Amino acid sequence: DVKVTQSSRYLVKRTGEKVFLECVQDMDHENMFWYRQDPGLGLRLIYFSYDVKMKEKGDIPEGYSVSREKKERFSLILESASTNQTSMYLCASSPYTSDPNEQFFGPGTRLTVL
Amino acid sequence: GENVEQHPSTLSVQEGDSAVIKCTYSDSASNYFPWYKQELGKRPQLIIDIRSNVGEKKDQRIAVTLNKTAKHFSLHITETQPEDSAVYFCAATGGSYIPTFGRGTSLIVHP
């Protein structure tokens, strides 16, 4: 059973703080993703990674960076948190296969920036 | 890039009725179309998917249809139950392996 875990379910930070959100998967998946989920806007891709030390920008990368030092771990970093980054953050992983495949999601981190 | 439109944004039905959610996509290269269900406070989970070489797929009370020519696909839920209440997301994925998601449909099933 694939397991994707995220470091916190709820997080409250202040404007200007540096914020780290961590995601770990235990199924040896090559692909990992960070999404932001806001009501009425669906899931928007922030960054993704196909392999260790590799990262690609998604649709809304501004204000975020990522780190993937180990295959199982993908971190999302908010260098200087702002109130408009208050949101639900979802991590996902998927295996590398010859065809596109299912994504497995973490439980989400609800971040509030005050 | 790919653009996915999902309708309706909210769907309210009585228990036992059918529910249909529709999505359209723009990139003819997209070849994998998953549907995810997200219950309140939980993570999205795949409920059914379809690939471009298939026109329809069924799994018990849920089915998905794909019309490649018109670039649209739909989720059909029959005999709805209160536990079907959730947000449903469609997605379209092409050669980049990056899915583009619709904005979601909130399905409410009234007992």
Side-chain angles (χ1 to χ4, degrees):
Chain A
D1 193 25
V2 176
K3 198 167 180 183
V4 182
T5 57
Q6 294 182 228
S7 49
S8 306
R9 290 300 305 270
Y10 299 93
L11 210 52
V12 179
K13 295 291 181 180
R14 296 212 172 271
T15 302
E17 281 194 83
K18 190 168 185 176
V19 182
F20 294 86
L21 303 182
E22 298 223 311
C23 174
V24 177
Q25 49 94 5
D26 66 357
M27 285 302 292
D28 203 35
H29 285 173
E30 287 77 13
N31 305 325
M32 295 189 75
F33 308 82
W34 274 107
Y35 292 94
R36 174 176 169 158
Q37 182 176 18
D38 299 289
L41 297 180
L43 300 170
R44 294 183 291 166
L45 182 64
I46 304 171
Y47 268 95
F48 61 97
S49 170
Y50 286 130
D51 203 348
V52 175
K53 296 197 185 293
M54 178 272 174
K55 58 187 177 186
E56 293 284 346
K57 292 180 180 179
D59 299 318
I60 52 165
E62 297 79 18
Y64 304 95
S65 63
V66 289
S67 171
R68 193 162 180 203
E69 296 296 319
K70 293 185 177 181
K71 190 175 185 180
E72 67 271 18
R73 189 181 299 267
F74 193 32
S75 301
L76 180 69
I77 303 153
L78 287 66
E79 295 288 342
S80 178
S82 63
T83 54
N84 62 11
Q85 292 179 308
T86 291
S87 187
M88 170 68 83
Y89 290 88
L90 286 166
C91 173
S93 72
S94 67
Y96 177 76
T97 55
S98 56
D99 294 312
N101 223 316
E102 172 186 1
Q103 289 192 324
F104 296 88
F105 286 87
T109 296
R110 184 162 295 283
L111 173 67
T112 302
V113 183
L114 302 175
Chain B
E2 175 67 277
N3 182 47
V4 175
E5 299 280 343
Q6 182 172 346
H7 297 280
S9 57
T10 306
L11 181 58
S12 185
V13 300
Q14 288 296 129
E15 183 177 359
D17 287 351
S18 294
V20 181
I21 303 170
K22 298 182 179 180
C23 290
T24 61
Y25 62 100
S26 60
D27 188 353
S28 56
S30 288
N31 58 4
Y32 175 65
F33 306 91
W35 285 89
Y36 292 87
K37 175 184 180 183
Q38 186 178 28
E39 296 177 18
L40 191 64
K42 302 226 173 135
R43 68 190 78 193
Q45 290 193 292
L46 181 79
I47 54 170
I48 196 166
D49 57 11
I50 192 167
R51 298 190 187 272
S52 57
N53 58 348
V54 174
E56 182 174 359
K57 185 176 178 181
K58 280 182 102 169
D59 183 4
Q60 298 181 2
R61 294 187 297 108
I62 60 173
V64 57
T65 58
L66 171 65
N67 183 328
K68 284 191 298 182
T69 305
K71 296 202 195 85
H72 67 70
F73 56 112
S74 300
L75 178 71
H76 305 254
I77 306 174
T78 58
E79 300 171 24
T80 53
Q81 299 166 6
E83 51 265 38
D84 294 329
S85 296
V87 177
Y88 293 80
F89 293 98
C90 65
T93 311
S96 70
Y97 288 70
I98 306 299
T100 299
F101 287 88
R103 294 192 172 197
T105 296
S106 177
L107 173 64
I108 303 162
V109 181
H110 299 279

